[in-house]
Amino acid sequence: MKLIVGLGNPGKEYEKTRHNTGFMVLDRLADKLGVTIEQNKFKGLYAKLKYHGEDIILLKPQTFMNLSGESVRAAMDFFKIDQQDLLVIYDDMDMPTGKLRLRQNGSAGGHNGMKNIILHLGNQNFERIRVGIGRHPYMKVVDYVLSRFTNEESVDIEKGIEDASEAVIDILNNGFSHAMNKYN
């Protein structure tokens, strides 16, 4: 069984914001897999499906970004998911818009949602896909991550969302190392 988590903030006012890139990737993935993420449990919205005989859980925490670990931990405990079967997808300001970086472990890198997941898991040894959202030289971080993508950035972020959803499918089909080699 695998748990695939996309990070974001709940509510209409946060839709399509930079910090909701993880939600956008998970929604695209759900479309490709023919499911809707709408079941409400684990302080989040989730969908459960079978993919090539394996159970897959797609989870969008509804705790707000800074408490994402509460939802992740609850789902992992309920489904008895091992940490090596967790994949987290989230935004990264330190990469150009739409660029992907797949890693098997690592620090939170200043991302509060990841800090909270690491806190609730007790370590940082789980797979992740970071999707670049760029950085604004003058805007405060909180204002920037809660802003929407510009028209100029829309092509790049669309490509990043598509590539990230394809990377997840590649991970499910061929393993994480294969996807790292292809998408990094």
Side-chain angles (χ1 to χ4, degrees):
M1 179 176 285
K2 294 222 179 287
L3 175 61
I4 303 169
V5 180
L7 298 186
N9 285 309
K12 288 276 187 209
E13 67 268 32
Y14 298 109
E15 281 182 8
K16 306 280 189 211
T17 62
R18 296 171 194 278
H19 227 15
N20 275 30
T21 301
F23 279 7
M24 291 183 251
V25 172
L26 218 61
D27 288 338
R28 178 76 51 89
L29 178 63
D31 287 345
K32 289 175 184 284
L33 297 174
V35 297
T36 305
I37 304 170
E38 60 187 8
Q39 295 182 69
N40 194 347
K41 196 171 184 175
F42 320 116
K43 297 183 181 181
L45 297 174
Y46 81 100
K48 185 177 179 185
L49 64 129
K50 284 251 190 234
Y51 186 80
H52 297 307
E54 183 174 26
D55 287 328
I56 306 293
I57 309 296
L58 305 179
L59 176 67
K60 292 167 49 176
Q62 301 294 292
T63 54
F64 287 94
M65 183 65 78
N66 295 356
L67 300 175
S68 297
E70 295 176 8
S71 178
V72 172
R73 178 86 261 170
M76 288 179 72
D77 289 348
F78 181 85
F79 290 111
K80 297 178 180 26
I81 295 172
D82 293 325
Q83 209 163 299
Q84 67 263 19
D85 293 320
L86 171 65
L87 172 64
V88 180
I89 305 161
Y90 63 103
D91 60 284
D92 189 326
M93 285 181 37
D94 293 325
M95 295 189 318
T97 302
K99 182 166 175 48
L100 299 189
R101 180 72 67 216
L102 284 69
R103 289 285 181 255
Q104 291 179 304
N105 56 47
S107 72
H111 193 284
N112 289 332
M114 289 299 286
K115 284 180 187 175
N116 195 256
I117 291 171
I118 291 167
L119 174 73
H120 281 272
L121 297 182
N123 67 66
Q124 54 196 17
N125 299 322
F126 56 91
E127 297 169 348
R128 72 271 320 261
I129 298 175
R130 298 179 301 168
V131 182
I133 61 168
R135 182 183 291 269
H136 193 280
Y138 309 113
M139 198 179 285
K140 286 185 194 174
V141 169
V142 68
D143 295 333
Y144 182 72
V145 298
L146 296 178
S147 69
R148 287 178 168 69
F149 294 98
T150 65
N151 289 336
E152 295 80 26
E153 295 168 313
S154 63
V155 171
D156 292 332
I157 195 59
E158 269 303 310
K159 182 175 181 342
I161 290 167
E162 180 64 21
D163 287 350
S165 66
E166 285 295 320
V168 174
I169 291 172
D170 194 29
I171 290 165
L172 295 175
N173 289 334
N174 304 304
F176 199 82
S177 294
H178 183 272
M180 275 179 60
N181 289 333
K182 183 174 180 181
Y183 289 95
N184 276 351

